[in-house]
């Protein structure tokens, strides 16, 4: 028979306590049961959705710059009379829906026009500049606020020209192909000089006034234009008037029957 001494009992107790303590330390668990904690499962790496490509920005407009025509005066009223071409020019402001309708009607007939835009109108309708140029039309400067530029001081008149030029440059990359004074058929010598200093070699006037801004009705607009137009003519018309939109098809049809082609002012003089 094996006798167990008091000393042996104490040693066994110490050994058992050591095993329990060792198990607790090894498993990272403070439970009195001494069970060993299982390692935490690895976290799944979330799948990454591929970044969407940034859409390319539209290419900037390649707007034509003003051109000098050496055989033309500083203030142009018409083009060569020996060519079967005319330029329909429009003061650009007013209801944009009428402007879009007029552009569409001109293009339906294969015509190209010239738009002299007011700067404040461009501020309100910035997309109209791209619409005009994308249609193959000329775009120019008709002062910033459409005031009587000939009666203004030199400083104020200069601002009217350059502020509109700045709007055009910001929207199209160019100051536009032409400058036309506001509230007058022709520019004063001072305004001609200021326009040239702003980058416009010529001021664009006209030899046929449709008088559409007096709201005479579409038939009257048509009669007025067709009674006076001939080869080389520059016709003054306006956006913003329903009579003008209504008159345009008849004007273009009659021009075609006479063998006259409606072109941009740049084409008229080239």
């Amino acid at each position: 028979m094996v006798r167990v001494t008091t000393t042996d009992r104490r040693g066994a107790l110490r050994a058992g306590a050591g095993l329990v303590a060792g198990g607790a330390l090894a498993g990272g668990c403070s439970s009195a049961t001494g069970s060993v904690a299982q390692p935490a499962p690895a976290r799944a790496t979330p799948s990454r959705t591929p970044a969407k490509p940034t859409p390319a920005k539209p290419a900037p407009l390649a707007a034509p710059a003003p051109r000098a025509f050496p055989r033309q005066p500083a203030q142009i009223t018409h083009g060569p009379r020996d060519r079967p071409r005319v330029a329909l020019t429009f003061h650009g402001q007013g209801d944009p829906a009428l402007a879009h309708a007029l552009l569409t009607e001109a293009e339906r007939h294969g015509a190209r026009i010239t738009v002299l835009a007011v700067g404040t109108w461009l501020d309100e309708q910035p997309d109209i500049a791209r619409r005009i140029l994308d249609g193959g039309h000329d775009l120019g400067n008709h002062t910033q606020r459409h005031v009587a530029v000939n009666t203004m001081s030199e400083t104020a008149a200069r601002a009217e020209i350059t502020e509109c030029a700045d709007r055009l440059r910001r929207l199209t990359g160019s100051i536009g192909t032409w400058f036309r004074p506001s509230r007058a058929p022709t520019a004063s010598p001072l305004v001609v000089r200021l326009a040239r200093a702003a980058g416009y070699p010529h001021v664009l006037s006209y030899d046929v006034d449709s008088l559409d801004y007096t709201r005479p009705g579409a038939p009257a607009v048509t009669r007025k234009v067709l009674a006076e137009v001939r080869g080389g003519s520059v016709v003054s018309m306006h956006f913003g008037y329903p009579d003008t939109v209504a008159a345009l098809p008849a004007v273009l049809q009659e021009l075609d029957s006479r063998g006259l082609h409606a072109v941009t002012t740049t084409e008229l003089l080239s």
Side-chain angles (χ1 to χ4, degrees):
M1 181 178 68
V2 179
R3 297 180 62 186
V4 179
T5 64
T6 302
T7 303
D8 295 332
R9 291 191 186 96
R10 291 172 178 171
L13 291 170
R14 291 190 188 99
L19 289 172
V20 172
L25 291 171
C29 178
S30 60
S31 171
T33 63
S35 60
V36 179
Q38 297 298 319
R43 295 181 179 177
T45 303
S47 60
R48 295 182 179 179
T49 303
K52 294 182 179 180
T54 303
K57 294 182 179 180
L61 283 170
R67 283 179 54 187
F69 293 90
R71 295 184 180 181
Q72 295 295 331
Q75 193 149 201
I76 296 171
T77 56
H78 63 82
R81 295 296 191 188
D82 58 350
R83 298 179 188 174
R85 297 176 176 181
V86 299
L88 303 180
T89 68
F90 293 81
H91 302 231
Q93 63 179 151
D95 184 353
L98 293 175
H100 283 279
L102 197 148
L103 290 165
T104 300
E105 188 63 33
E107 291 157 10
R108 190 171 72 85
H109 286 268
R112 296 294 177 263
I113 66 174
T114 300
V115 180
L116 294 313
V118 176
T120 53
W121 187 62
L122 293 175
D123 289 340
E124 296 167 358
Q125 314 293 336
D127 292 342
I128 197 70
R130 178 177 289 275
R131 171 67 183 88
I132 292 165
L133 292 176
D134 284 351
H137 311 288
D138 272 2
L139 177 62
N141 179 333
H142 195 40
T143 73
Q144 178 62 18
R145 299 169 187 84
H146 200 254
V147 292
V149 67
N150 284 346
T151 67
M152 303 178 79
S153 69
E154 180 171 348
T155 299
R158 180 185 294 108
E160 279 296 313
I161 298 169
T162 58
E163 285 180 25
C164 186
D166 290 342
R167 300 301 190 279
L168 287 164
R169 184 185 292 109
R170 186 183 69 238
L171 292 171
T172 71
S174 164
I175 63 172
T177 47
W178 301 99
F179 169 76
R180 172 173 286 171
S182 49
R183 306 283 183 180
T186 58
S188 67
L190 171 62
V191 170
V192 170
R193 176 169 61 82
L194 293 174
R196 181 179 291 275
Y200 302 97
H202 306 278
V203 169
L204 182 60
S205 184
Y206 47 87
D207 65 318
V208 178
D209 189 349
S210 69
L211 298 179
D212 56 352
Y213 59 91
T214 65
R215 304 175 187 267
V221 172
T222 302
R223 287 194 302 270
K224 181 72 163 61
V225 172
L226 295 177
E228 300 177 17
V229 70
R230 55 194 177 112
S233 283
V234 177
V235 182
S236 171
M237 305 178 84
H238 293 75
F239 281 175
Y241 294 92
D243 291 349
T244 309
V245 180
L248 188 62
V251 169
L252 291 173
Q253 288 169 9
E254 180 60 23
L255 290 177
D256 285 343
S257 70
R258 298 181 188 182
L260 295 173
H261 305 290
V263 298
T264 67
T265 306
T266 300
E267 292 171 318
L268 181 74
L269 300 172
S270 296

